[in-house]
Amino acid sequence: MKIFIDTADVQEIREANDMGILDGVTTNPSLIAKSGRKFRDVIEEIVKIVDGPISAEVVSLDHEGMMKEAREYAKIHSNVVIKLPMTVEGLKALKICVSEKIKTNITLVFNANQALLVGKVGATFVSPFIGRLDDISQIGMDLIRQIRTIYNNYGIKTQILAASIRNPIHFLESALVGADVATVPMSVIKQLTQHPLTDLGIERFLKDWEKVPK
Ligand code: E4P
């Protein structure tokens, strides 16, 4: 499973990249707002750090507006992936992006029928939001399972990008059910590296090392 980081914080992106585990980055308007920086500046900096897909989300609601943004952002770097919302207008923009060979990530996907349509039109990535479904008492992981089955049934090549991952269990289950990518906040990436027995083991080895004649 590929690992993307879900952030617009370039320090976090640098750190995850230095760990050698990073395949790409997803951003969204909320994450850009949190960075306190201009959208274009952030994307231009990220493409210099990470050599992999970088999702940049449009905010227009009509497909003409979406395409204006998409064409502008796609010019920044060949790794830029245009994030479009799962709406009728988003699908129209997706169709145009596919014909213009612009990479896409369809976001805010909450059921498998939406994902089937996205795959049919030919998106590069589809982003089902696990955590936000859990938040409203639906089992987010069931959605990833359903999409995997449908995409396998019909040989759909769109990559399933498990999004809205809030904890290590979401990450583990995404890998078990066969998501192609998980996009994960830095806090969860750090949790993935940890185990209490690892810390205890280091502590014991260091204590014993003190007894070794120097
Ligand atoms: C995905 O691309 C989104 O940016 C993200 O995963 C949303 O996560 P949240 O539901 O924790 O905001």
Side-chain angles (χ1 to χ4, degrees):
M1 184 168 68
K2 289 178 211 156
I3 302 176
F4 291 2
I5 188 168
D6 195 30
T7 186
D9 179 328
V10 291
Q11 285 316 111
E12 289 183 345
I13 294 169
R14 270 182 221 286
E15 190 175 10
N17 194 49
D18 287 347
M19 288 163 67
I21 50 105
L22 203 58
D23 298 298
V25 181
T26 52
T27 65
N28 65 38
S30 308
L31 294 170
I32 298 280
K34 206 169 141 197
S35 78
R37 301 178 58 198
K38 285 189 184 157
F39 176 78
R40 206 186 164 91
D41 292 351
V42 175
I43 301 296
E44 282 177 351
E45 193 170 344
I46 297 174
V47 296
K48 285 185 199 141
I49 305 169
V50 181
D51 185 18
I54 316 295
S55 286
E57 187 159 343
V58 302
V59 290
S60 298
L61 296 177
D62 61 299
H63 73 277
E64 288 96 348
M66 289 178 195
M67 283 314 303
K68 196 164 169 273
E69 291 181 68
R71 290 184 183 113
E72 192 190 316
Y73 305 152
K75 271 191 237 146
I76 296 176
H77 194 281
S78 58
N79 280 340
V80 170
V81 174
I82 304 303
K83 217 170 173 190
L84 299 164
M86 178 55 224
T87 59
V88 169
E89 291 300 303
L91 285 178
K92 290 180 194 170
L94 170 59
K95 181 172 183 258
I96 300 169
C97 283
V98 171
S99 72
E100 295 185 12
K101 299 202 178 346
I102 295 174
K103 294 185 210 93
T104 48
N105 173 4
I106 308 307
T107 191
L108 295 167
V109 166
F110 292 98
N111 70 47
N113 288 333
Q114 293 177 317
L116 196 156
L117 300 182
V118 165
K120 195 177 172 70
V121 185
T124 319
F125 299 99
V126 63
S127 286
F129 276 42
I130 303 170
R132 292 193 196 187
L133 280 171
D134 286 357
D135 289 345
I136 59 159
S137 305
Q138 289 183 26
I139 299 173
M141 201 51 60
D142 286 348
L143 175 57
I144 307 284
R145 249 182 235 110
Q146 288 178 349
I147 301 173
R148 183 72 284 157
T149 302
I150 291 169
Y151 281 14
N152 288 353
N153 285 348
Y154 298 103
I156 292 171
K157 297 281 176 269
T158 298
Q159 294 179 55
I160 303 171
L161 195 169
S164 189
I165 286 192
R166 306 270 176 77
N167 57 55
I169 302 295
H170 281 157
F171 181 84
L172 175 65
E173 290 193 340
S174 296
L176 288 172
V177 304
D180 299 288
V181 190
T183 189
V184 190
M186 191 58 182
S187 54
V188 176
I189 291 180
K190 292 235 166 107
Q191 286 178 303
L192 298 178
T193 68
Q194 294 162 359
H195 194 285
L197 290 179
T198 306
D199 297 339
L200 194 65
I202 291 171
E203 202 183 304
R204 278 195 201 151
F205 284 150
L206 288 182
K207 226 178 215 149
D208 289 341
W209 185 249
E210 283 169 18
K211 297 174 205 150
V212 175
K214 315 259 163 23

